[in-house]
Amino acid sequence: MSNGPGSAGNVIAAICSLVVPGLGQLVQGRVLSALVWFLAACIAGAITWLVTLSLFPFGWFVVSVLSCISAAMYRRPVA
């Protein structure tokens, strides 16, 4: 059973993280990582909004893409 980059579980997790940063990590069972990604997205979105006074969520989007890549590249440690 493959559980590294490109596996079905990682693809699903990556899609989840693209929608909501950290959701893919939560699907993978990485609760702390999920919380960190979600908080980073919230902070980045707030900073973007404060700096630009625009509703375009550029900061959220950037963190979302990085979270997606993190979920896609995750390799479960061998026990």
Side-chain angles (χ1 to χ4, degrees):
M1 178 181 203
S2 176
N3 60 7
S7 68
N10 281 9
V11 171
I12 292 169
I15 292 168
C16 289
S17 278
L18 193 57
V19 175
V20 176
L23 185 58
Q25 286 77 4
L26 192 61
V27 168
Q28 292 171 330
R30 303 186 296 153
V31 177
L32 184 61
S33 181
L35 184 61
V36 169
W37 278 113
F38 184 74
L39 289 176
C42 289
I43 291 168
I47 290 172
T48 301
W49 182 78
L50 287 172
V51 170
T52 64
L53 292 178
S54 160
L55 293 179
F56 181 68
F58 181 73
W60 178 278
F61 176 73
V62 169
V63 174
S64 180
V65 169
L66 295 175
S67 175
C68 174
I69 292 168
S70 170
M73 300 302 292
Y74 178 67
R75 182 177 298 272
R76 195 166 268 110
V78 178

